[in-house]
Amino acid sequence: MITARALNVVLSLFVWQLILIAGISHLSVARAATLGEWKLLQKNIGVSAMHMQLLNNDRVIIFDRTDFGRSNLSLPNGVCRNNPNDLALKVDCTAHSLEYNVNGNTFRPLMVQTDTWCSSGSVLADGTLLQTGGFNDGEKKYRSFRPCANCDWQEFDGLNARRWYATNHILPDGRIIVIGGRRSFNYEFYPTSKTLINFPFLAQTNDVGEENNLYPFVHLNVDGNLFIFANNRAILFDYKKNSIVRTYPQIPGGDPRNYPSSGSSVLLPLNPSGTEAEVLVCGGAPKGSYAQANKGVYLAALRTCGRIKITDASPQWVVENMPTPRVMGDMTLLPDGNILIVNGASSGTAGWEIARNPVLSPVIYRPDNAVGSRFQVQNPSKTPRMYHSTSVLLRDGRVLIGGSNTHVGYVFSGVDFPTDLTLESFSPAYLGTEFSSIRPTILSPKAQTSLNYGEILRVQYTISGTLSPRKLTVTMVSPSFTTHSYSMNQRLLNLGGGNSLKVNGTSSTYITQVRTPKSSILAPSGYYILYVLHQGIPSVGTWVHIK
């Protein structure tokens, strides 16, 4: 017979077990929430997201290549593309580009005439997307896309060399420099001229049979010169004088980081002083990976990241290890200055069907943390994103992710990694609802406000909870053109903050004063997303135009 006392003990133990289980469950949910959230946005956009660019009307331009054959997205009103030079279909009534409406989660087909395969791009100072090169009949074309309600691609002749796997960067004077491409060891500028300038550095960094220097990493330094990384080497380049200003040490280990070894690179956030700059290069594939993968041997990708302060008098690489090896990863600057590393594989290399073991879990890299505590693995996606995957930052702080086509055409069955036509978003932990009370909402500047260089900018915002003035910062991010594991023109500027004053007669409205970048060397003219961050939690951004 069970006594009352014994029954109480049993009941107490049962209650404590329930509490413990509930606590563990609560902790698991909380822990999961701190590691980001994935959401499927579109099951089928019809086009593989090989190239992506966010424009200042919150539309993302997406395109792949015209010689994939028919896509899964028809051109409107029975329109067809008639191109006798196309290598797949001379008459194609399907789209190979689209405009994705972020706010409406809708998309519409766009028309490209010649082949845009493995091309490059930049956004001009007026917000127009300039796309350069491609393959076959598109290799010397440039195209423009203006952000307006019913705009479509316009196409022009004018490039001086084939630009297939080239890199673009906007310059302080508003021009675009177009560097390299397959067997194009030279560069030129847009607006176009007949000038084609030899660039021996690209010939010197070309591995016979593998290349490993395509889509070179290019970053505008704070002195106006270009940091250019190709294969395993880097230089500081004066494009005005066509001269090398300095040669940096080879990245430790000597393994290649550019296509097809396909690591990734970012310019780390720039501080208000604009006197220092650091570059981060992560992942890639060991030398020889391309040849081995074509024989069915998939070497482990590189785990290392190299970080270098390019403005130091005697710069040296500092090497760190990612949690997992990664090739074909994309690096996206987040509004808080951290970097999302996403997509890719842990073995093999870029190219048709020659990578294995997709890396499903992104990583957050925190550049301000101490070495050894900078990486944090995030919640995994269910979707492999291999060759031809992309990611771009959206104004609301999410990251848009799409693509993955490892095949010569569209292949949806009978293969390890089918062509993927989905779009999904990754929401970093800072978007969690638990931060609602400390998340700022920008009141001014209003969207599309024009800014001057070096001016005092009064940023007005609201916070429903308690303000911590010293934990208030303002940042500006330039949206990137992303393809083949590299985000061109990506740039984040920290404008400072921490001097907020409450607006009279309100309980939750504040103003902080910051100074805009002092010159177009720090921030080339164009559209940026302005964010207010409070305790590391960003507002929804607002578009501003600096000139």
Side-chain angles (χ1 to χ4, degrees):
M1 181 174 177
I2 300 176
T3 65
R5 181 178 180 184
L7 184 60
N8 286 336
V9 170
V10 172
L11 288 172
S12 296
L13 289 172
F14 179 68
V15 170
W16 276 110
Q17 281 184 318
L18 289 177
I19 292 171
L20 181 61
I21 291 170
I24 290 172
S25 175
H26 175 73
L27 286 173
S28 298
V29 171
R31 188 175 294 115
T34 66
L35 300 177
E37 180 182 357
W38 290 89
K39 183 178 180 181
L40 179 65
L41 300 175
Q42 290 286 346
K43 292 182 179 179
N44 186 345
I45 59 171
V47 172
S48 179
M50 186 188 295
H51 313 77
M52 288 206 294
Q53 171 73 60
L54 173 68
L55 300 180
N56 68 292
N57 58 355
D58 290 325
R59 308 294 203 269
V60 179
I61 304 304
I62 297 172
F63 57 95
D64 56 11
R65 52 185 286 200
T66 62
D67 62 351
F68 263 159
R70 292 179 181 86
S71 75
N72 281 18
L73 179 64
S74 296
L75 289 165
N77 305 318
V79 171
C80 297
R81 181 176 60 90
N82 294 275
N83 184 351
N85 297 314
D86 193 86
L87 300 178
L89 289 172
K90 310 302 182 186
V91 178
D92 187 354
C93 302
T94 64
H96 293 278
S97 179
L98 62 95
E99 180 190 65
Y100 174 69
N101 182 331
V102 175
N103 300 324
N105 191 26
T106 58
F107 55 93
R108 67 180 180 97
L110 302 173
M111 164 76 86
V112 286
Q113 181 66 20
T114 58
D115 201 353
T116 52
W117 181 22
C118 301
S119 54
S120 49
S122 294
V123 175
L124 301 174
D126 67 358
T128 299
L129 171 59
L130 175 77
Q131 182 273 335
T132 47
F135 180 64
N136 188 30
D137 59 352
E139 62 188 10
K140 291 187 178 181
K141 301 283 187 178
Y142 68 90
R143 305 164 186 87
S144 66
F145 187 94
R146 193 163 54 88
C148 67
N150 297 303
C151 284
D152 210 330
W153 287 103
Q154 294 183 298
E155 189 161 325
F156 307 93
D157 295 313
L159 297 178
N160 295 297
R162 65 197 311 241
R163 298 300 174 192
W164 191 30
Y165 301 94
T167 295
N168 290 14
H169 205 296
I170 189 168
L171 299 173
D173 61 8
R175 291 183 300 164
I176 305 295
I177 188 169
V178 188
I179 301 175
R182 178 157 282 168
R183 293 181 289 279
S184 291
F185 306 133
N186 47 55
Y187 63 92
E188 60 185 292
F189 299 95
Y190 173 88
T192 58
S193 68
K194 295 299 181 183
T195 304
L196 186 64
I197 305 167
N198 190 37
F199 193 27
F201 177 69
L202 292 179
Q204 296 160 9
T205 54
N206 184 53
D207 289 339
V208 177
E210 289 198 10
E211 296 173 294
N212 286 326
N213 68 345
L214 300 177
Y215 282 122
F217 305 143
V218 180
H219 303 293
L220 177 62
N221 192 18
V222 293
D223 64 358
N225 294 311
L226 297 174
F227 175 90
I228 302 177
F229 184 104
N231 196 319
N232 55 17
R233 295 169 51 190
I235 59 172
L236 190 63
F237 186 66
D238 184 339
Y239 60 89
K240 296 177 181 178
K241 298 179 179 178
N242 189 29
S243 65
I244 295 175
V245 176
R246 72 191 312 181
T247 299
Y248 294 96
Q250 184 184 87
I251 195 166
D255 283 313
R257 308 287 179 147
N258 297 86
Y259 182 85
S261 286
S262 291
S264 192
S265 177
V266 292
L267 179 71
L268 294 182
L270 298 174
N271 288 319
S273 65
T275 57
E276 296 183 345
E278 288 186 86
V279 168
L280 182 69
V281 177
C282 286
K287 190 172 184 177
S289 291
Y290 185 81
Q292 290 296 311
N294 278 295
K295 297 175 183 177
V297 178
Y298 306 103
L299 301 180
L302 299 176
R303 183 188 294 265
T304 54
C305 290
R307 178 170 167 173
I308 188 169
K309 187 173 286 187
I310 63 176
T311 48
D312 270 1
S314 300
Q316 298 295 322
W317 291 96
V318 175
V319 176
E320 306 169 71
N321 285 325
M322 296 185 288
T324 57
R326 193 182 301 255
V327 62
M328 299 182 293
D330 287 289
M331 298 173 72
T332 303
L333 283 166
L334 302 176
D336 60 1
N338 295 327
I339 295 104
L340 179 71
I341 308 175
V342 68
N343 301 335
S346 62
S347 60
T349 187
W352 303 130
E353 302 167 346
I354 53 174
R356 296 294 185 272
N357 304 313
V359 183
L360 298 176
S361 296
V363 170
I364 295 284
Y365 177 85
R366 293 180 168 82
D368 293 336
N369 284 12
V371 174
S373 62
R374 288 174 173 162
F375 295 98
Q376 184 185 40
V377 178
Q378 304 293 290
N379 285 325
S381 170
K382 297 178 181 178
T383 305
R385 300 285 182 187
M386 305 288 277
Y387 187 39
H388 291 147
S389 300
T390 45
S391 69
V392 294
L393 176 68
L394 301 178
R395 186 169 57 87
D396 59 15
R398 293 177 299 157
V399 178
L400 183 68
I401 295 169
S404 189
N405 189 9
T406 68
H407 316 289
V408 176
Y410 292 113
V411 181
F412 300 107
S413 61
V415 291
D416 290 336
F417 305 107
T419 300
D420 191 279
L421 303 181
T422 64
L423 272 186
E424 58 187 334
S425 64
F426 179 76
S427 296
Y430 56 56
L431 290 176
T433 56
E434 65 270 30
F435 300 120
S436 296
S437 66
I438 61 171
R439 187 183 313 283
T441 299
I442 298 175
L443 300 179
S444 67
K446 300 293 186 182
Q448 313 294 329
T449 293
S450 292
L451 306 178
N452 297 313
Y453 289 106
E455 73 168 298
I456 297 296
L457 175 64
R458 291 164 58 85
V459 181
Q460 187 169 327
Y461 61 94
T462 62
I463 289 178
S464 61
T466 302
L467 175 68
S468 299
R470 294 185 179 180
K471 297 181 179 179
L472 194 289
T473 56
V474 179
T475 61
M476 278 174 51
V477 182
S478 61
S480 62
F481 180 93
T482 302
T483 189
H484 288 76
S485 304
Y486 180 52
S487 294
M488 303 176 196
N489 304 292
Q490 190 172 210
R491 199 172 190 83
L492 186 149
L493 300 108
N494 185 341
L495 304 185
N499 55 359
S500 295
L501 296 174
K502 184 175 288 188
V503 175
N504 290 336
T506 70
S507 60
S508 60
T509 304
Y510 303 87
I511 288 178
T512 186
Q513 288 192 166
V514 296
R515 188 175 293 277
T516 60
K518 62 184 179 182
S519 74
S520 60
I521 292 176
L522 293 179
S525 181
Y527 285 90
Y528 292 74
I529 309 174
L530 185 85
Y531 292 95
V532 174
L533 294 103
H534 178 232
Q535 300 184 41
I537 306 303
S539 65
V540 172
T542 187
W543 287 104
V544 295
H545 185 253
I546 191 165
K547 59 183 180 179

